[in-house]
């Protein structure tokens, strides 16, 4: 998906890049994620030859372990179905592998590796003791009954459980995996191992060891990060027109938190199209439709009445806004979308999803002076709150919503500060992509150096 001319890489980085392309043929999303990080690291390898000597980059691009497995299950009609399961345990220098599980038909090794690679840097940036990993399956939960989802989750965990552990590898949710799926997987893990090991999965329901704010955390974090980024240039979200894409937990809670900051959130979307609600999204109704009824944004528009209109099949980036929060999926903001956003007066883009902006779009946005927060910084609030869930599970404690939210906000402000300071230190003030990549890289690289060649 390299749809833009890349900046020429330092020759040491170019060699790493060549090796990644040769070793992972056809995995375009993984290539894209690696390229984006390598492009930031020129000044780092120039300043730190020790990273090059210890082959830190080559090691970082090669996952520590990759597990691919068959997931057999039986659908409601009695037919046998076979899906493919993945867990890529990317890097454990800073802590147990940590990262979500995605159930979506687009899942294959290239998607899981891109997500796992991003997760390593994101988790390092959070400042918490978590390594990086990611998993998933090409299972499509859409249109599946509750019983089918449960049987699939049980079969998936029957194979995966042997690779997990609260000190080893701790999955959570991602696209297609929420509290319900985590609950079924945790239930099966508990049954197989005979251990109530709460810390083996995060994103659990509140009644089964889950943490307050985990559901909201990614979205809240995106809004808080955006506000920090605007504050740094003397502006704020208040009174500004915001568009979010997607309508899952990231989008819903980014919208809710942005509204609390005084923004007017006027649109959101799903794979069927988008809804524009000039009166501002009704978060209560959106939650009712999406979380409780598992409905579509078209249903939201119908229920909301004349103020809201649903545009079938369109891209939500057609809606002009000052702040864009892409919270749907990878590569959803393309070059033409970015050009339209710039023309419409957009001043900031913060990635709630992982890698939702194509390289060409990032280049256009930053070139036009639009503030741009990459996902590994802006959406780190989700995994950070997962780490807080692990802390609570380890101490058999549970914290209040207010306390947990305060911790999350402190972590997001810390990430913003780390990105801004690092970008300035390495000669790119205001470049959050460089700041996030460099700060994340240095934390992992130093830990890898300390641990020797393992
Ligand atoms: N899937 C989320 C992410 O992309 C959360 C991962 C986690 O909580 O472990 O960061």
């Amino acid at each position: 998906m390299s749809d833009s001319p890349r900046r020429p890489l330092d020759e040491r980085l170019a060699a790493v890049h060549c090796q990644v392309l040769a070793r992972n043929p056809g995995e375009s999303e993984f290539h894209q994620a690696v390229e984006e990080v390598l492009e930031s690291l020129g000044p780092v390898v120039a300043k730190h030859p020790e990273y090059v000597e210890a082959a830190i980059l080559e090691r970082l691009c090669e996952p520590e372990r990759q597990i691919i497995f068959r997931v057999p299950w039986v659908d409601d009609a009695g037919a046998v179905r076979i899906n493919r399961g993945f867990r890529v345990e990317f890097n454990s220098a800073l802590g147990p592998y940590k990262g979500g599980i995605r159930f979506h038909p687009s899942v294959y090794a290239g998607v899981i590796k891109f997500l796992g690679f991003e997760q390593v840097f994101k988790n390092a940036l959070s400042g918490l003791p978590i390594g990086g990993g990611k998993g998933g399956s090409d299972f499509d939960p859409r249109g599946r009954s509750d019983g089918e989802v449960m049987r699939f989750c049980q079969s998936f965990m029957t194979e995966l459980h042997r690779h997990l552990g609260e000190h080893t590898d701790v999955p959570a949710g991602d696209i297609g995996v929420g509290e319900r799926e985590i609950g079924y997987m945790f239930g099966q893990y508990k049954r197989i191992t005979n251990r109530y090991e709460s810390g083996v999965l995060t994103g659990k329901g509140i009644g089964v060891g889950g943490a307050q704010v985990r559901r909201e955390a990614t979205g809240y974090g995106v809004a808080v990060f955006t506000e920090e980024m605007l504050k740094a240039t003397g502006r704020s979200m208040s009174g500004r027109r915001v568009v979010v894409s997607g309508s899952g937990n990231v989008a819903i809670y980014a919208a809710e938190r942005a509204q609390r900051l005084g923004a007017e959130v006027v649109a959101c979307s799903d794979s069927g199209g988008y809804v524009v609600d000039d009166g501002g999204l009704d978060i209560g109704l959106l939650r009712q439709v999406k979380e409780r009824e598992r409905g579509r944004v078209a249903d939201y528009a119908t229920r909301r009445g004349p103020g809201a209109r649903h545009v079938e099949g369109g891209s939500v980036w057609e809606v002009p806004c000052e702040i864009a929060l892409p919270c749907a999926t990878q590569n959803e903001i393309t070059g033409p979308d970015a050009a339209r956003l710039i023309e419409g007066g957009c001043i900031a883009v913060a990635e709630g999803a992982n890698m939702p902006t194509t390289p060409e779009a990032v280049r256009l946005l930053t070139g036009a002076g639009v503030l741009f927060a990459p996902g590994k910084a802006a959406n780190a609030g989700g995994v950070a709150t997962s780490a807080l869930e692990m802390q609570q599970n380890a101490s058999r404690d549970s914290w209040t919503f207010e306390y947990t939210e305060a911790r999350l906000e402190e972590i997001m402000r810390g990430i913003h500060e780390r990105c801004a300071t690092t970008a300035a230190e390495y000669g790119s003030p205001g470049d959050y992509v460089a700041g996030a990549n460099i700060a994340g890289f240095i934390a992992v690289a130093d830990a890898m150096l300390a641990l020797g060649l393992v």
Side-chain angles (χ1 to χ4, degrees), residues 98-100 119 122 134 172-174 202 214 354 382-383 386:
K98 182 82 199 86
Q119 200 82 47
K122 181 194 315 195
K134 203 86 186 191
D174 196 84
T202 62
R214 178 61 192 88
N354 291 312
V383 75
S386 277

Side-chain angles (χ1 to χ4, degrees), residues 87 98-102 115 119 122-123 130 133-134 170-175 202-203 214 218 352-354 375 379-387 390:
R87 187 73 183 165
K98 182 82 199 86
I101 289 176
R102 176 177 292 193
L115 291 164
Q119 200 82 47
K122 181 194 315 195
N123 295 4
I130 39 179
K134 203 86 186 191
V170 183
D174 196 84
I175 293 171
T202 62
R214 178 61 192 88
T218 312
N354 291 312
N379 74 34
V383 75
T385 307
S386 277
M390 291 164 73

Side-chain angles (χ1 to χ4, degrees), residues 18 50 79 86 89 109 116 126 173 178 191 202 217 225 235 282 295 323-324 327 352 356 382 416 437 441 448 450:
C18 280
E50 69 275 21
F86 298 88
E89 297 180 334
S126 75
R191 185 181 192 192
T202 62
F225 193 96
R235 293 172 286 183
D282 177 339
I323 296 168
C327 300
H416 176 270
N437 287 338
F441 172 77
M448 289 173 75

Side-chain angles (χ1 to χ4, degrees), residues 183-205:
Y184 293 152
M185 286 192 262
F186 181 47
Q188 185 72 350
Y189 182 88
K190 186 176 81 62
R191 185 181 192 192
I192 294 170
T193 59
N194 194 30
R195 286 164 66 92
Y196 203 105
E197 192 184 333
S198 307
V200 75
L201 284 165
T202 62
K204 301 178 293 296

Side-chain angles (χ1 to χ4, degrees), residues 36-37 118 121-122 125 351 354 374-380 415 436-437:
E36 192 233 28
V37 169
E118 291 268 307
F121 296 85
K122 181 194 315 195
L125 207 49
E351 295 187 324
N354 291 312
K376 51 174 89 70
N379 74 34
I415 294 172
N437 287 338

Side-chain angles (χ1 to χ4, degrees), residues 46-122:
K47 198 168 156 186
H48 295 281
E50 69 275 21
Y51 295 149
V52 179
E53 277 154 32
I56 294 292
L57 274 159
E58 288 85 338
R59 286 155 64 193
L60 253 174
C61 291
E62 184 62 24
E64 289 176 13
R65 191 174 298 109
Q66 304 184 52
I67 303 144
I68 302 183
F69 52 98
R70 182 176 65 204
V71 189
W73 57 285
V74 179
D75 70 17
D76 284 347
V80 173
R81 302 270 179 168
I82 303 297
N83 284 95
R84 183 172 281 186
F86 298 88
R87 187 73 183 165
V88 174
E89 297 180 334
F90 227 109
N91 194 293
S92 60
L94 289 172
Y97 308 108
K98 182 82 199 86
I101 289 176
R102 176 177 292 193
F103 291 165
H104 192 270
S106 65
V107 163
Y108 77 110
V111 165
I112 300 299
K113 276 192 219 165
F114 119 64
L115 291 164
F117 186 76
E118 291 268 307
Q119 200 82 47
V120 172
F121 296 85
K122 181 194 315 195

